[in-house]
Amino acid sequence: MDAPYGRIERLEPGIARLLAHNPSAFTYCGTQSYLVGEREVAVIDPGPDLPEHLDALEAAIGGRRLAAIVCTHTHRDHSPAAAPLAARTGAPIIGCAALALETVGPRADAAFDGDYAPDRVLGDRDELEIDGKPLVAVATPGHTSNHLCFAYDGALLTGDHVMGWSTTVVVPPDGDMAQYMASLDKLRTRDDRVYYPAHGPAVTNPQQYVRHLVGHRMQREKQIQGLVAQQPRPIPDIVANAYPELDPRLVVAAGGSVLAHLLDLERRGLVERDGETWTAA
Ligand SMILES: [Zn+2]
């Protein structure tokens, strides 16, 4: 993929981006780590544990003090570089909570970084001072239960809560559609100037973009409700009808998103489950 791997991109004063070389059907070109601050910096989402990415992060930090290594959540494309970067720099790992997951199915499990161990966990509205400005945690559960966005100087680093290239994957049991929607609503109450997601380009029209995402999910929910109202269906059948031209690598994730919608509809008393089959309530 033709993308700026290993090259620091200055987006605006005090915010720079560095793309890791981990492209995939889930990560687009790869994970974008961000550096915030000028005289001292924090790294947001250090990314996967790839030696060349760690080298590039260290080079980007240069001689400046690294005040914190911050993770939005603990998917494997976001947090595994935190510990090796801490070992190289002595900086603390501060941010989202670790997730203790029970056995939750092969894919969901494989996607989580079970080794993540923060020195300090931030809750909603907790802040760190980076280069004289606050870096503020915004709790945004849904994509994962421990997901945080971070506000800095009018920008919002959105991790995987809002992405610039695709809709966010929400896979139960840790992913939760009702929480995800509530976390989108939460962004609508804010007036961030720009979003910098971990995957895909910056979002320069945040309010409009979030409205579009909410509309898309509501449309998807309606579609799923319509399909199970026609006839009782298992999830693979719903996926085949709702996502007719889906990349085969994304079928499992789409099934997860459909399940997330169904569980939300079930909680609201709108659908029922009989074994593997879902019907209108
Ligand atoms: Zn993620």
Side-chain angles (χ1 to χ4, degrees), residues 12-247:
E12 58 178 88
I15 302 185
R17 181 170 71 190
L18 186 64
L19 175 63
H21 195 269
N22 60 332
S24 80
F26 293 95
T27 62
Y28 191 48
C29 297
T31 304
Q32 298 173 130
S33 301
Y34 289 90
L35 275 74
V36 303
E38 291 280 0
R39 287 158 300 180
E40 69 167 356
V41 295
V43 168
I44 317 294
D45 280 342
D49 183 6
L50 300 173
E52 70 270 22
H53 187 57
L54 285 157
D55 291 345
L57 281 171
E58 257 195 302
I61 296 161
R64 298 175 291 178
R65 187 175 98 88
L66 179 59
I69 301 163
V70 178
C71 297
T72 60
H73 66 299
T74 47
H75 274 151
R76 278 182 193 273
D77 54 325
H78 289 256
S79 55
L85 187 61
R88 286 181 183 214
T89 60
I93 301 169
I94 303 176
C96 72
L99 270 189
L101 285 183
E102 321 248 319
T103 13
V104 292
R107 222 218 80 82
D109 238 354
F112 281 98
D113 169 16
D115 298 327
Y116 171 76
D119 297 297
R120 185 178 151 204
V121 172
L122 298 180
D124 191 40
R125 289 188 280 187
D126 284 347
E127 55 184 71
L128 300 174
E129 191 180 296
I130 307 295
D131 195 19
K133 290 175 184 158
L135 177 74
V136 185
V138 181
T140 42
H143 171 65
T144 61
S145 60
N146 62 349
H147 196 287
L148 301 174
C149 294
F150 290 93
Y152 190 76
D153 206 12
L156 190 70
L157 301 143
T158 55
D160 283 1
H161 179 47
V162 171
M163 304 203 287
W165 72 291
S166 155
T167 54
T168 291
V169 173
V170 178
V171 177
D174 187 62
D176 183 299
M177 190 59 72
Q179 286 190 345
Y180 178 74
M181 294 297 281
S183 293
L184 284 181
D185 279 341
K186 185 174 191 172
L187 296 197
R188 294 173 78 170
T189 67
R190 301 177 49 86
D191 60 350
D192 303 295
R193 163 172 56 78
V194 60
Y195 291 164
Y196 293 125
H199 309 280
V203 175
T204 53
N205 55 343
Q207 283 294 328
Q208 198 185 338
Y209 194 76
V210 171
R211 261 202 312 281
H212 160 80
L213 291 178
V214 170
H216 172 82
R217 294 290 173 165
M218 286 172 65
Q219 219 175 337
R220 182 70 78 199
E221 179 187 280
K222 241 198 189 87
Q223 185 185 25
I224 291 167
Q225 239 183 314
L227 284 165
V228 299
Q230 277 172 4
Q231 59 180 83
R233 295 175 195 265
I235 286 176
D237 183 64
I238 299 171
V239 171
N241 281 281
Y243 303 80
E245 272 156 41
L246 187 64
D247 180 335

